[in-house]
Amino acid sequence: GCHNDAETPIDVKNNGVFFLNSRVRNEDIEDGSSNTIFIGEKVPIETELGWASGTSSTLRNCGSRINSNLPSKRGKAAQPDDDPAAGPANPPGKADGPAPPALVGGFSSRHPGGANFGLGDGSVRYLKNTISPRVLLLLGNRADGDLLSSDQF
């Protein structure tokens, strides 16, 4: 579930749709449900708590490029060299240690070049790793006031 447009800890003040104690109604999605990411893919890591935990195992944000923090086969954060189209992770991960506890992370998949996302209108879109970072941020915020056209993503 998308909790925020930028990399921030999970909190009651996040601007996505799913966040701590969220009660978002259709009226609260001011940018329109077709312009708002509800859910997206995330590659699971063995040590995570699972989908229903409400933690970073469950929630993601749009503050880093798609697949930029893709875990490697060894369970470590992927480095920018792993996918040149993804660009650097935000914030940069260390390959030899765990992520900071407040780091939530972005969306990821095993699909080459992007990931699948469910928007609030029920549509599913494949978004490329090369999507504009600004457009990805706008899709992660339910009420930023910037409306997008479908040809932007």
Side-chain angles (χ1 to χ4, degrees):
C2 185
H3 82 93
N4 205 48
D5 61 348
E7 178 61 62
T8 59
I10 300 167
D11 193 5
V12 296
K13 297 179 182 178
N14 293 144
N15 57 30
V17 177
F18 300 100
F19 50 91
L20 188 63
N21 300 323
S22 63
R23 290 184 204 100
V24 176
R25 302 169 300 156
N26 281 334
E27 299 83 37
D28 299 326
I29 305 170
E30 296 174 15
D31 293 347
S33 59
S34 62
N35 289 315
T36 307
I37 291 174
F38 274 40
I39 59 172
E41 289 186 275
K42 178 194 171 299
V43 174
I45 299 173
E46 287 182 31
T47 58
E48 291 182 322
L49 298 175
W51 168 248
S53 69
T55 64
S56 62
S57 299
T58 301
L59 302 173
R60 301 277 96 188
N61 65 70
C62 293
S64 55
R65 288 190 176 271
I66 299 166
N67 289 328
S68 66
N69 56 359
L70 185 64
S72 71
K73 293 178 182 173
R74 296 179 309 278
K76 299 175 183 175
Q79 298 304 296
D81 297 349
D82 293 344
D83 185 356
N90 181 17
K94 286 178 59 178
D96 57 352
L103 178 71
V104 177
F107 294 95
S108 59
S109 78
R110 295 281 186 212
H111 305 298
N116 289 302
F117 291 84
L119 302 181
D121 64 356
S123 66
V124 176
R125 301 274 181 102
Y126 182 80
L127 300 181
K128 295 180 180 180
N129 293 347
T130 57
I131 188 172
S132 159
R134 181 179 180 282
V135 170
L136 187 59
L137 289 173
L138 294 174
L139 289 170
N141 188 323
R142 70 181 182 280
D144 54 34
D146 286 324
L147 300 180
L148 299 168
S149 63
S150 61
D151 63 343
Q152 290 180 279
F153 59 97

